[in-house]
């Protein structure tokens, strides 16, 4: 894949080359490659097949996580989320020491590698929400508790220009990668003025079924709003909202 340069940009196919537009600009790629039948059957391509199977596993794993956290992700994500998440899940899969190549899984890998993953690179949690919160997860009860100390919003949270209000969120989900199922719950704080007034301590405690054995991820998010004539609007359509994985519990 190559990037087109010059004044005239092409779209379509000319000879053995295809020209197309992406969010990264105008691109071009050549036609050709090895026949699919050979890749699927030739022993020389065993590693290629193994890599392809694990890439597929990472893709399905990323899809499951996005589905599980879809309500919160709708408020905080970027257009590269899918590829970034798959790339990280490939690292998780490669850390699986139980299964042979080509059959390694997300759930048998080191899922702690997902911790601190930001769903929106334009709004990273650790550069937005500085301090004053303590997350904890109890597998026995299924409670994900985020204890937030009393805080002054415009000192604790770095908001983009135009912000008048903020909202905090916490989410927890148990992921069944093999069965393609999940259990998820989330909680939102009230919408809080982004000012110098001290806000009382609060807890966000979304809960799932306790005592399970599935891997569980926990997320925290911050959303920004602008008040106009008494109505709250998501600031710049949520372009700078933050959402990140802050904990992973794996049996």
């Amino acid at each position: 894949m190559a990037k087109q340069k010059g004044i005239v940009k092409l779209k379509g196919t000319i000879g053995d080359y295809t020209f197309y537009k992406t969010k990264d600009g105008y691109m071009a790629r050549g036609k050709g490659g090895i026949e699919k039948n050979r890749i699927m059957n030739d022993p020389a391509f065993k590693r290629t097949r193994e890599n392809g199977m694990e890439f597929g596993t990472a893709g399905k794993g990323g899809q499951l996580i996005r589905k599980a956290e879809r309500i919160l992700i709708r408020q905080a994500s970027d257009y590269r989320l899918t590829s970034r998440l798959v790339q990280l899940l490939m690292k998780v899969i490669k850390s699986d020491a139980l299964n042979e190549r080509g059959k390694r899984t997300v759930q048998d890998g080191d899922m702690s590698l997902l911790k601190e993953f930001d769903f929106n690179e334009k709004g990273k949690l650790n550069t937005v929400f500085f301090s004053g919160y303590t997350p904890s997860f109890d597998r026995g009860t299924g409670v994900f508790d985020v204890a937030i100390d009393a805080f002054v919003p415009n000192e604790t949270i770095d908001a983009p220009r135009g912000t008048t209000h903020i909202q905090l969120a916490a989410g927890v989900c148990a992921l069944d990668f093999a069965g393609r199922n999940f259990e998820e719950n989330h909680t939102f704080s009230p919408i809080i003025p982004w000012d110098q007034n001290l806000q009382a301590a609060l807890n966000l405690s979304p809960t799932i079924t306790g005592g399970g054995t599935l891997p569980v991820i926990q997320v925290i998010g911050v959303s920004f709003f602008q008040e106009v004539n008494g109505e709250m609007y998501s600031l710049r359509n949520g372009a700078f909202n933050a959402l990140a994985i802050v904990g992973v519990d794996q049996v």
Side-chain angles (χ1 to χ4, degrees):
M1 182 172 63
K3 195 168 186 177
Q4 296 185 48
K5 293 185 177 181
I7 299 174
V8 179
K9 304 300 182 183
L10 302 175
K11 293 176 70 176
T13 300
I14 300 177
D16 292 334
Y17 294 92
T18 298
F19 302 89
Y20 57 101
K21 183 180 180 182
T22 71
K23 291 183 179 180
D24 294 318
Y26 287 85
M27 315 298 287
R29 64 186 173 199
K31 183 180 178 182
I34 302 167
E35 293 182 358
K36 181 179 179 181
N37 183 62
R38 184 181 174 193
I39 293 175
M40 297 303 295
N41 296 286
D42 191 331
F45 290 93
K46 180 181 179 181
R47 289 288 179 259
T48 301
R49 291 193 293 273
E50 292 170 349
N51 292 337
M53 290 173 67
E54 292 186 347
F55 185 80
T57 299
K60 291 177 181 177
Q63 184 183 54
L64 184 65
I65 292 173
R66 296 196 314 275
K67 285 177 65 177
E69 296 294 353
R70 64 192 182 282
I71 293 175
L72 298 181
I73 288 175
R74 277 204 304 256
Q75 302 180 31
S77 63
D78 61 69
Y79 76 93
R80 291 185 182 274
L81 169 59
T82 298
S83 60
R84 291 192 300 108
L85 184 55
V86 168
Q87 185 178 33
L88 182 54
L89 287 171
M90 282 298 292
K91 293 182 180 179
V92 175
I93 289 169
K94 290 177 180 179
S95 70
D96 174 3
L98 298 178
N99 302 295
E100 61 186 61
R101 276 189 63 143
K103 297 181 180 180
R104 292 178 292 190
T105 68
V106 175
Q107 64 270 24
D108 290 326
D110 180 8
M111 288 187 61
S112 69
L113 295 170
L114 293 171
K115 191 174 179 180
E116 299 184 358
F117 176 80
D118 286 287
F119 291 88
N120 183 12
E121 286 199 312
K122 292 182 179 179
K124 296 185 176 183
L125 185 67
N126 63 3
T127 64
V128 168
F129 199 173
F130 294 127
S131 61
Y133 65 93
T134 304
S136 61
F137 176 68
D138 186 323
R139 180 173 285 273
T141 62
V143 176
F144 172 46
D145 184 72
V146 182
I148 303 171
D149 300 334
F151 67 103
V152 176
N154 66 5
E155 292 179 359
T156 304
I157 295 175
D158 187 16
R161 183 179 300 177
T163 297
T164 62
H165 291 73
I166 60 165
Q167 186 176 47
L168 308 176
V172 59
C173 63
L175 299 163
D176 180 2
F177 290 99
R180 310 288 298 140
N181 292 312
F182 62 87
E183 181 186 1
E184 187 273 346
N185 197 2
H186 57 272
T187 303
F188 294 102
S189 75
I191 294 180
I192 300 167
W194 188 68
D195 56 23
Q196 295 182 333
N197 295 319
L198 182 67
Q199 292 293 319
L202 59 93
N203 283 74
L204 302 177
S205 301
T207 304
I208 57 174
T209 303
T213 59
L214 295 174
V216 176
I217 64 173
Q218 306 107 52
V219 302
I220 292 176
V222 182
S223 296
F224 304 104
F225 296 88
Q226 185 174 75
E227 182 178 13
V228 179
N229 297 327
E231 295 290 333
M232 294 294 173
Y233 296 90
S234 183
L235 187 70
R236 301 185 192 178
N237 294 318
F240 300 105
N241 290 349
L243 181 69
I245 297 175
V246 298
V248 179
D249 193 274
Q250 193 174 12
V251 176

